[in-house]
Amino acid sequence: MKHSKKSKQRQRATQLLCWDISLILGSLPSWFVSAVELLLRNRRFRVHMGDKTSAWRTQKNGLPQGSVLAPTLFNLYTNDLPVTLCRRFAYADDICCTMQAETFAELECVLTADIARITRYCQQWRLKPSVSKTVASAFHLQNTRAARELTVLMNGQRLKHDFTPVYLGVTLDRTLSYKTHLSKTAGKLKTRNNLLSKLAGTTWGAGAHTLRTTALALCYSVAEYCCPVWARSSFTHHVDSQLNSSMRLITGCLRSTPVPWLPVLANIAPPGLRRQAATDDMVSRILRNSSWPLHDDFVNHPPARLKSRRPIWSVDTTGVTDDLWRDAWVSASVVNHGLVPDPAVRPPGFDLPRQPWTLLNRFRTGHGTCRASLHRWGMAQSDLCQCGQRQTMTHIIDDCPQTKFAGGLEALHEADDDAVHWLQNTATKAFAK
């Protein structure tokens, strides 16, 4: 009897799922409905706690977590959400209701009514909105009312007011300055840079190619997430400072190295230009697709209220990243600027072992652990070389009779066999003294 009862429960659950599928996908071929049915039926779960395990239970609703098809099926299931006065933004089950109004009272009235309408829809179709995970927020520039909280109700309960809500991984704030989001992102990057530093020992560390690939996957992926949204914020320097640290780990350059050198030697475009390229790409795609809902927002955008704000539709989309990078490099006033005619081209020696690669870049930039620098930092009593002259990076390679390299810095920059031999032997001994 127990087995028969469980079989009937599973059969009933499958019938309910098939009924939902047939209702939503009734106009599609039967083979597609059958394929979706195979995805959803006979799904079971159990709970492990310590050394104990629960019995198997049949999942009667919901979609498989992590399934590629699940978000599409959920979008189909909720495609007939009721019309609301507020505007909705949805990504799968993350639904955001927004509205512009002159007063807080109007916002509260409309949002409460629209949420009640959506709640009734959810109850009808066996969906359960979470009151604890739903928050209300207000975005405005009235500093005198910065502490004002919205009173929005859902199922008779007041929603929590969040001054820094998170939507799709982006932390918003009252004035949309994105200061909180960029500070949090900088903290994540600092942690990931600590991981990257484990691969970047001074003498034994991984090669530049490995470090660059790791930094792009580990650090830049976080730093550039949703960057078209916040790229025009005045707080992007929080993220840029951490990306500069990432590039120093790739190149082995010291902290005193001029920032324009870092992207050139790491062979990664400057952070600001990468964000601009991502923004340009998104804007161009929106303008090309007139059927997209955002297209009308860009074409018929509201007038700018503040001169200090730069809305995304005001971005110039005519620039090319490499061309902009070349222009910026030409105007940069850094030592040994003439060594690199094109910053977008990978510099010679990129595949060298860690030690000669690090020394080579320090000679290129003129910033290394020579006696002059150590004396300036209070780490050496004298700035004199063994030959009696002031020891700078230029002196070691051009003037010192004990260490100078034939051909000077321009020949060393090519990173040929003679240059690598000099870096691994003569230059290393010069710093050791």
Side-chain angles (χ1 to χ4, degrees):
M1 290 297 294
K2 292 183 179 180
H3 178 74
S4 177
K5 185 177 180 180
K6 289 183 178 180
S7 299
K8 290 181 179 179
Q9 290 177 346
R10 295 192 187 100
Q11 184 178 4
R12 176 58 179 166
T14 304
Q15 288 175 351
L16 288 173
L17 291 172
C18 295
W19 180 78
D20 289 340
I21 296 168
S22 301
L23 184 64
I24 299 169
L25 308 177
S27 60
L28 294 176
S30 59
W31 63 264
F32 184 80
V33 178
S34 300
V36 175
E37 179 186 350
L38 288 173
L39 171 69
L40 300 179
R41 73 181 179 184
N42 294 331
R43 291 189 295 112
R44 301 189 301 163
F45 69 93
R46 61 180 178 180
V47 178
H48 296 269
M49 183 174 292
D51 57 349
K52 297 183 179 180
T53 303
S54 69
W56 285 101
R57 295 291 186 271
T58 302
Q59 185 72 35
K60 300 179 181 180
N61 52 22
L63 292 165
Q65 184 74 19
S67 170
V68 176
L69 190 58
T72 302
L73 293 176
F74 187 85
N75 289 338
L76 291 172
Y77 191 78
T78 59
N79 187 52
D80 60 340
L81 278 169
V83 178
T84 55
L85 292 178
C86 64
R87 188 173 182 181
R88 295 194 307 268
F89 297 90
Y91 183 82
D93 60 341
D94 288 325
I95 301 176
C96 177
C97 298
T98 65
M99 180 186 175
Q100 288 181 312
E102 295 291 335
T103 63
F104 287 98
E106 183 181 356
L107 281 175
E108 293 168 344
C109 180
V110 173
L111 288 175
T112 299
D114 285 345
I115 288 178
R117 190 174 292 111
I118 294 175
T119 301
R120 288 193 297 269
Y121 169 87
C122 293
Q123 292 173 348
Q124 178 184 357
W125 294 105
R126 293 178 293 172
L127 298 172
K128 187 177 181 180
S130 175
V131 177
S132 61
K133 294 182 179 180
T134 306
V135 299
S137 301
F139 306 99
H140 58 89
L141 301 175
Q142 300 179 18
N143 293 332
T144 57
R145 311 188 74 178
R148 173 68 158 81
E149 296 186 2
L150 292 178
T151 302
V152 182
L153 304 179
M154 173 187 284
N155 290 333
Q157 301 182 45
R158 183 176 181 270
L159 297 179
K160 176 186 175 182
H161 185 95
D162 193 345
F163 291 99
T164 55
V166 179
Y167 186 64
L168 299 181
V170 178
T171 303
L172 309 174
D173 55 85
R174 179 178 60 86
T175 61
L176 295 181
S177 65
Y178 299 101
K179 179 180 179 181
T180 304
H181 175 74
L182 295 175
S183 298
K184 290 168 61 176
T185 302
K188 294 179 182 178
L189 290 176
K190 186 175 181 180
T191 302
R192 293 171 182 240
N193 278 336
N194 291 337
L195 298 176
L196 187 64
S197 67
K198 302 301 181 182
L199 301 174
T202 304
T203 58
W204 57 268
H209 179 76
T210 300
L211 292 174
R212 178 182 181 274
T213 303
T214 305
L216 288 174
L218 200 64
C219 301
Y220 279 80
S221 59
V222 173
E224 296 175 351
Y225 174 72
C226 280
C227 63
V229 174
W230 50 263
R232 290 154 305 285
S233 170
S234 59
F235 298 98
T236 54
H237 61 275
H238 293 303
V239 172
D240 290 348
S241 63
Q242 295 299 324
L243 291 180
N244 290 340
S245 298
S246 302
M247 289 185 284
R248 289 191 189 97
L249 291 171
I250 297 172
T251 60
C253 292
L254 300 180
R255 194 171 179 82
S256 60
T257 304
V259 172
W261 264 115
L262 301 179
V264 175
L265 298 177
N267 195 227
I268 303 174
L273 294 182
R274 288 175 62 91
R275 290 193 293 266
Q276 182 175 342
T279 304
D280 294 348
D281 179 66
M282 190 192 75
V283 172
S284 62
R285 284 189 287 114
I286 291 174
L287 294 177
R288 287 197 308 266
N289 295 274
S290 58
S291 61
W292 290 9
L294 284 177
H295 179 82
D296 187 62
D297 294 330
F298 278 70
V299 176
N300 302 312
H301 56 78
R305 294 179 57 193
L306 298 175
K307 293 183 179 180
S308 60
R309 297 298 177 96
R310 293 176 294 167
I312 192 171
W313 48 76
S314 65
V315 177
D316 183 13
T317 60
T318 59
V320 179
T321 301
D322 288 349
D323 293 339
L324 295 174
W325 191 5
R326 294 184 185 100
D327 294 340
W329 179 246
V330 169
S331 60
S333 56
V334 294
V335 178
N336 302 326
H337 174 276
L339 287 176
V340 180
D342 188 350
V345 176
R346 179 167 295 184
F350 207 81
D351 296 326
L352 290 176
R354 179 66 179 177
Q355 184 180 23
W357 166 250
T358 296
L359 286 177
L360 176 60
N361 289 333
R362 294 180 180 182
F363 278 110
R364 285 165 169 166
T365 61
H367 289 256
T369 55
C370 57
R371 301 285 294 183
S373 297
L374 295 176
H375 180 68
R376 185 170 67 253
W377 299 333
M379 300 174 64
Q381 296 181 352
S382 173
D383 62 352
L384 297 181
C385 179
Q386 292 293 325
C387 65
Q389 301 183 39
R390 186 168 180 266
Q391 189 191 62
T392 63
M393 301 300 288
T394 303
H395 169 78
I396 293 174
I397 192 173
D398 289 333
D399 302 326
C400 182
Q402 301 177 17
T403 61
K404 66 179 179 179
F405 180 69
L409 182 59
E410 292 187 1
L412 186 69
H413 172 70
E414 298 302 324
D416 56 14
D417 293 340
D418 292 337
V420 173
H421 182 269
W422 184 85
L423 289 169
Q424 291 178 328
N425 295 275
T426 307
T428 303
K429 294 178 182 178
F431 288 110
K433 293 179 180 179

